[in-house]
Amino acid sequence: MYTSYVAIGDSFTEGVGDVLPDGRVRGWADLVAVGLAAAAEEPVRYANLAIRGRKLGPIVGEQLDAAIAMSPQLLSINGGGNDIMRPRVSVDDIAEKTARAVGKAVDAGIHVLLLSGANPSDNLPGGRAVQRRGDELAVRVRAFVREVTAAESAVTFVDNFADAGLRDLRYWSLDRLHLNSFGHARVASNVLMALDVPVPGAWRVDEVAAEPPLGRRAPSLAYYREYVLPWIGRRLTGRSSGDGRSAKLPELTPIDPDIVF
């Protein structure tokens, strides 16, 4: 059982879309920390260095170095989602950076939780390009994981991109780019099952999965005004949704399994 866990990444790992009543975001990584704490016989400490909008470079650079310096037993790595949304991107470069980051953490004696993001392509305008690039990246990452796990067991891979049920609109927030609370709970469930840790029934993962799917629904004009145009504006001006933001939990902090943040 892991008693210290650090998460690095972008909005997916920060928890954007899973909004608590007080306005804070929670997300799958926070839920995983709670799940680990509920199953552990000793205190579990957790840090989350993820910042929305971050591309892979800063994640596997600044965040990774800070995470390794904490010497956690478990480190989750996810990134590249913001990269493949850009007009020009090298999937090979993303895969190679990811592989180097995993290797660096493993060499530091840390067990790596490598996970792909959920697949938003069914619900997004221009989703075909996201699907194509996501598929290319998934092939590269899966090949890397097979190579690593054949030699050692220091990496656990959770392939959320291949979770077909997670593509349904019921798991996505209004912007169709970030998971909602149900989606984050399902990802957390995928992670805990991969780590052989019990999934709390209070998360209602099986109950939500049993509901009829919403299927695909065309976005409205209001959707384009509220979400697409601001996103384009940030790209044209070189801004990011994470500008000026810092990590929400920058230090390893004891987690109370009875409090969900």
Side-chain angles (χ1 to χ4, degrees), residues 14 51-54 86 234-235 237-246:
E14 184 186 343
I51 299 175
R52 65 191 68 180
R54 288 296 189 264
R86 300 308 196 268
R234 289 195 298 272
R235 300 291 80 74
T237 56
R239 293 177 292 120
S240 167
S241 58
D243 288 347
R245 301 187 71 91
S246 57

Side-chain angles (χ1 to χ4, degrees), residues 150-212:
E152 53 188 318
S153 58
V155 179
T156 296
F157 179 51
V158 180
D159 196 353
N160 296 293
F161 197 81
D163 184 345
L166 195 52
R167 296 171 68 158
D168 187 69
L169 199 56
R170 90 188 87 168
Y171 292 111
W172 297 86
S173 61
L174 293 177
D175 68 6
R176 298 179 175 227
L177 182 62
H178 299 100
L179 296 170
N180 59 21
S181 58
F182 296 137
H184 279 284
R186 179 157 174 154
V187 169
S189 172
N190 290 344
V191 170
L192 290 183
M193 287 191 293
L195 296 175
D196 198 25
V197 175
V199 177
W203 296 357
R204 301 176 54 220
V205 174
D206 292 338
E207 180 182 340
V208 174
E211 295 176 357

